[in-house]
mmCIF file of all heavy atoms in Angstrom:
data_model
loop_
_atom_site.group_PDB
_atom_site.id
_atom_site.type_symbol
_atom_site.label_atom_id
_atom_site.label_comp_id
_atom_site.label_asym_id
_atom_site.label_seq_id
_atom_site.Cartn_x
_atom_site.Cartn_y
_atom_site.Cartn_z
ATOM 1 N N LEU A 478 110.509 -47.256 110.227
ATOM 2 C CA LEU A 478 111.845 -47.347 110.791
ATOM 3 C C LEU A 478 112.537 -48.638 110.383
ATOM 4 O O LEU A 478 113.711 -48.649 110.049
ATOM 5 C CB LEU A 478 111.762 -47.250 112.324
ATOM 6 C CG LEU A 478 111.388 -45.863 112.885
ATOM 7 C CD1 LEU A 478 111.210 -45.968 114.391
ATOM 8 C CD2 LEU A 478 112.461 -44.830 112.544
ATOM 9 N N SER A 526 105.240 -104.576 70.158
ATOM 10 C CA SER A 526 104.152 -104.093 69.301
ATOM 11 C C SER A 526 103.529 -102.848 69.887
ATOM 12 O O SER A 526 103.618 -102.588 71.077
ATOM 13 C CB SER A 526 103.070 -105.166 69.139
ATOM 14 O OG SER A 526 102.397 -105.373 70.361
ATOM 15 N N LEU A 535 101.505 -96.837 88.511
ATOM 16 C CA LEU A 535 101.670 -96.623 89.937
ATOM 17 C C LEU A 535 100.696 -95.533 90.354
ATOM 18 O O LEU A 535 100.213 -94.761 89.534
ATOM 19 C CB LEU A 535 103.106 -96.203 90.266
ATOM 20 C CG LEU A 535 104.182 -97.265 89.978
ATOM 21 C CD1 LEU A 535 105.546 -96.681 90.303
ATOM 22 C CD2 LEU A 535 103.947 -98.517 90.798
ATOM 23 N N TRP A 544 106.271 -72.632 93.304
ATOM 24 C CA TRP A 544 105.771 -71.302 93.598
ATOM 25 C C TRP A 544 104.413 -71.395 94.295
ATOM 26 O O TRP A 544 103.735 -72.399 94.232
ATOM 27 C CB TRP A 544 105.684 -70.466 92.324
ATOM 28 C CG TRP A 544 104.792 -71.036 91.278
ATOM 29 C CD1 TRP A 544 103.499 -70.716 91.030
ATOM 30 C CD2 TRP A 544 105.108 -72.043 90.306
ATOM 31 N NE1 TRP A 544 103.004 -71.447 89.998
ATOM 32 C CE2 TRP A 544 103.956 -72.263 89.533
ATOM 33 C CE3 TRP A 544 106.270 -72.775 90.032
ATOM 34 C CZ2 TRP A 544 103.941 -73.183 88.503
ATOM 35 C CZ3 TRP A 544 106.230 -73.692 89.008
ATOM 36 C CH2 TRP A 544 105.087 -73.874 88.251
ATOM 37 N N ALA A 555 90.727 -81.903 84.141
ATOM 38 C CA ALA A 555 89.509 -82.431 84.759
ATOM 39 C C ALA A 555 88.594 -82.937 83.650
ATOM 40 O O ALA A 555 89.016 -83.637 82.752
ATOM 41 C CB ALA A 555 88.842 -81.366 85.615
ATOM 42 N N GLY A 559 91.132 -77.854 79.304
ATOM 43 C CA GLY A 559 91.584 -76.519 79.674
ATOM 44 C C GLY A 559 91.099 -76.220 81.067
ATOM 45 O O GLY A 559 91.000 -77.100 81.902
ATOM 46 N N ASN A 611 86.840 -56.887 78.563
ATOM 47 C CA ASN A 611 86.731 -58.007 77.618
ATOM 48 C C ASN A 611 85.340 -58.647 77.610
ATOM 49 O O ASN A 611 85.205 -59.859 77.498
ATOM 50 C CB ASN A 611 87.793 -59.071 77.927
ATOM 51 C CG ASN A 611 88.019 -60.027 76.767
ATOM 52 O OD1 ASN A 611 87.685 -59.723 75.624
ATOM 53 N ND2 ASN A 611 88.573 -61.187 77.064
ATOM 54 N N THR A 631 93.988 -75.608 71.082
ATOM 55 C CA THR A 631 95.438 -75.488 71.068
ATOM 56 C C THR A 631 96.014 -75.698 69.676
ATOM 57 O O THR A 631 95.396 -76.343 68.824
ATOM 58 C CB THR A 631 96.052 -76.506 72.051
ATOM 59 O OG1 THR A 631 97.408 -76.194 72.273
ATOM 60 C CG2 THR A 631 95.942 -77.919 71.511
ATOM 61 N N ALA A 650 127.977 -81.217 81.395
ATOM 62 C CA ALA A 650 129.157 -81.799 82.039
ATOM 63 C C ALA A 650 130.284 -80.779 82.129
ATOM 64 O O ALA A 650 131.050 -80.762 83.104
ATOM 65 C CB ALA A 650 129.619 -83.041 81.283
ATOM 66 N N PRO A 656 126.471 -86.547 86.241
ATOM 67 C CA PRO A 656 125.404 -87.289 85.558
ATOM 68 C C PRO A 656 124.380 -87.798 86.552
ATOM 69 O O PRO A 656 124.702 -88.100 87.703
ATOM 70 C CB PRO A 656 126.141 -88.449 84.883
ATOM 71 C CG PRO A 656 127.392 -88.616 85.677
ATOM 72 C CD PRO A 656 127.762 -87.246 86.159
ATOM 73 N N SER A 668 112.387 -94.609 83.643
ATOM 74 C CA SER A 668 111.956 -93.217 83.759
ATOM 75 C C SER A 668 112.074 -92.755 85.196
ATOM 76 O O SER A 668 112.020 -93.548 86.128
ATOM 77 C CB SER A 668 110.519 -93.044 83.246
ATOM 78 O OG SER A 668 109.626 -93.885 83.945
ATOM 79 N N SER A 699 101.938 -88.620 86.452
ATOM 80 C CA SER A 699 102.336 -89.215 87.724
ATOM 81 C C SER A 699 102.445 -90.735 87.634
ATOM 82 O O SER A 699 102.447 -91.429 88.639
ATOM 83 C CB SER A 699 101.325 -88.840 88.821
ATOM 84 O OG SER A 699 100.023 -89.257 88.467
ATOM 85 N N GLU A 735 127.223 -102.470 79.933
ATOM 86 C CA GLU A 735 126.532 -102.361 78.653
ATOM 87 C C GLU A 735 125.986 -100.947 78.493
ATOM 88 O O GLU A 735 125.847 -100.196 79.447
ATOM 89 C CB GLU A 735 125.393 -103.376 78.578
ATOM 90 C CG GLU A 735 125.850 -104.825 78.674
ATOM 91 C CD GLU A 735 124.688 -105.788 78.595
ATOM 92 O OE1 GLU A 735 123.540 -105.313 78.468
ATOM 93 O OE2 GLU A 735 124.921 -107.008 78.664
ATOM 94 N N THR A 766 126.546 -100.282 69.302
ATOM 95 C CA THR A 766 127.605 -99.675 70.105
ATOM 96 C C THR A 766 128.314 -98.534 69.392
ATOM 97 O O THR A 766 129.067 -97.786 70.018
ATOM 98 C CB THR A 766 128.650 -100.740 70.489
ATOM 99 O OG1 THR A 766 129.176 -101.343 69.296
ATOM 100 C CG2 THR A 766 128.018 -101.811 71.373
ATOM 101 N N ASP A 788 123.420 -81.660 69.570
ATOM 102 C CA ASP A 788 124.850 -81.685 69.300
ATOM 103 C C ASP A 788 125.091 -82.852 68.344
ATOM 104 O O ASP A 788 124.242 -83.156 67.506
ATOM 105 C CB ASP A 788 125.631 -81.820 70.614
ATOM 106 C CG ASP A 788 127.114 -81.587 70.425
ATOM 107 O OD1 ASP A 788 127.482 -80.597 69.764
ATOM 108 O OD2 ASP A 788 127.924 -82.394 70.927
ATOM 109 N N THR A 825 120.073 -82.476 63.008
ATOM 110 C CA THR A 825 121.512 -82.691 62.859
ATOM 111 C C THR A 825 122.240 -81.822 63.884
ATOM 112 O O THR A 825 121.623 -81.018 64.586
ATOM 113 C CB THR A 825 121.982 -82.326 61.443
ATOM 114 O OG1 THR A 825 121.673 -80.950 61.188
ATOM 115 C CG2 THR A 825 121.300 -83.190 60.389
ATOM 116 N N LYS A 831 112.384 -74.455 68.262
ATOM 117 C CA LYS A 831 111.506 -73.906 69.293
ATOM 118 C C LYS A 831 110.155 -74.596 69.180
ATOM 119 O O LYS A 831 109.559 -74.662 68.105
ATOM 120 C CB LYS A 831 111.333 -72.398 69.140
ATOM 121 C CG LYS A 831 110.525 -71.775 70.279
ATOM 122 C CD LYS A 831 110.522 -70.258 70.203
ATOM 123 C CE LYS A 831 109.814 -69.667 71.423
ATOM 124 N NZ LYS A 831 109.822 -68.167 71.398
ATOM 125 N N THR A 854 87.964 -61.455 105.749
ATOM 126 C CA THR A 854 88.523 -62.172 104.602
ATOM 127 C C THR A 854 87.571 -62.085 103.420
ATOM 128 O O THR A 854 86.391 -62.436 103.538
ATOM 129 C CB THR A 854 88.777 -63.652 104.944
ATOM 130 O OG1 THR A 854 89.684 -63.720 106.049
ATOM 131 C CG2 THR A 854 89.396 -64.387 103.758
ATOM 132 N N LYS A 869 81.517 -78.408 85.307
ATOM 133 C CA LYS A 869 81.801 -77.102 85.902
ATOM 134 C C LYS A 869 83.105 -77.183 86.686
ATOM 135 O O LYS A 869 83.504 -78.233 87.163
ATOM 136 C CB LYS A 869 80.662 -76.657 86.819
ATOM 137 C CG LYS A 869 79.369 -76.348 86.084
ATOM 138 C CD LYS A 869 78.306 -75.807 87.035
ATOM 139 C CE LYS A 869 77.024 -75.473 86.273
ATOM 140 N NZ LYS A 869 75.977 -74.943 87.178
ATOM 141 N N SER A 873 89.262 -70.052 93.225
ATOM 142 C CA SER A 873 89.055 -69.079 94.297
ATOM 143 C C SER A 873 90.361 -68.399 94.690
ATOM 144 O O SER A 873 91.436 -69.003 94.625
ATOM 145 C CB SER A 873 88.458 -69.762 95.540
ATOM 146 O OG SER A 873 87.210 -70.334 95.253
ATOM 147 N N PRO A 887 105.460 -59.036 114.166
ATOM 148 C CA PRO A 887 106.245 -60.154 114.723
ATOM 149 C C PRO A 887 107.739 -59.872 114.762
ATOM 150 O O PRO A 887 108.443 -60.309 115.655
ATOM 151 C CB PRO A 887 105.923 -61.311 113.787
ATOM 152 C CG PRO A 887 104.569 -60.961 113.234
ATOM 153 C CD PRO A 887 104.586 -59.479 113.071
#
Side-chain angles (χ1 to χ4, degrees):
L478 289 174
S526 68
L535 295 178
W544 60 97
N611 197 20
T631 193
S668 57
S699 58
E735 299 180 0
T766 57
D788 191 47
T825 59
K831 185 172 185 179
T854 301
K869 292 184 179 180
S873 299

